[in-house]
Amino acid sequence: MSLLVIAGFAATGVLPVREYLERGARVDAAQAELDQLTAENALLESDIAALYTEQEVERLAREQYGFVREGEIGYVVIPNEIDETETEVAAAVPSQVEDRSFFQRVWDFVTGNDQTNDG
């Protein structure tokens, strides 16, 4: 009987200790996450504070909207639009020539098969 009572006290004493240790680990993990979020918040707050300066507003206006000051000349670079089919055809022609052996290319030259009809 006394062994049963001792086993009961041991079981009730072990389970709360395990639960207490698990809670401690969760508290430590939550504290680490809180520290990380606090650091990120501080960084974001400094970014927000920088947005209210005249230099940052001017920089964003120049970069995103192309604004210029009075007396300055603004330039816009427009990239050439290349038709994708043209680049595919141009890329395909050299690969066909390279796939043929030297003698096949010579025979094409002699017979005139190396010339393309551009239309």
Side-chain angles (χ1 to χ4, degrees):
M1 175 79 170
S2 63
L3 185 62
L4 186 61
V5 172
I6 293 173
F9 280 125
T12 58
V14 170
L15 294 177
V17 170
R18 183 182 304 152
E19 190 174 305
Y20 175 76
L21 294 175
E22 288 174 1
R23 284 185 186 166
R26 286 188 297 215
V27 167
D28 291 341
Q31 184 64 43
E33 184 179 2
L34 178 64
D35 292 342
Q36 178 187 2
L37 291 174
T38 302
E40 288 179 21
N41 253 356
L43 181 64
L44 291 173
E45 286 175 1
S46 68
D47 289 346
I48 289 171
L51 287 173
Y52 289 107
T53 62
E54 289 183 26
Q55 294 85 9
E56 187 67 12
V57 170
E58 180 179 349
R59 184 187 68 81
L60 289 173
R62 287 177 177 271
E63 282 182 7
Q64 294 181 1
Y65 302 109
F67 286 12
V68 294
R69 288 186 174 264
E70 189 174 330
E72 294 180 342
I73 298 173
Y75 293 96
V76 177
V77 178
I78 301 173
N80 289 337
E81 293 185 23
I82 298 175
D83 188 18
E84 291 180 16
T85 56
E86 292 177 11
T87 57
E88 290 174 4
V89 170
V93 171
S95 66
Q96 292 173 355
V97 172
E98 293 172 5
D99 290 343
R100 302 180 59 80
S101 72
F102 172 76
F103 295 110
Q104 289 172 330
R105 286 184 280 152
V106 169
W107 182 252
D108 286 344
F109 176 75
V110 170
T111 59
N113 289 336
D114 65 333
Q115 297 180 355
T116 58
N117 185 4
D118 292 337

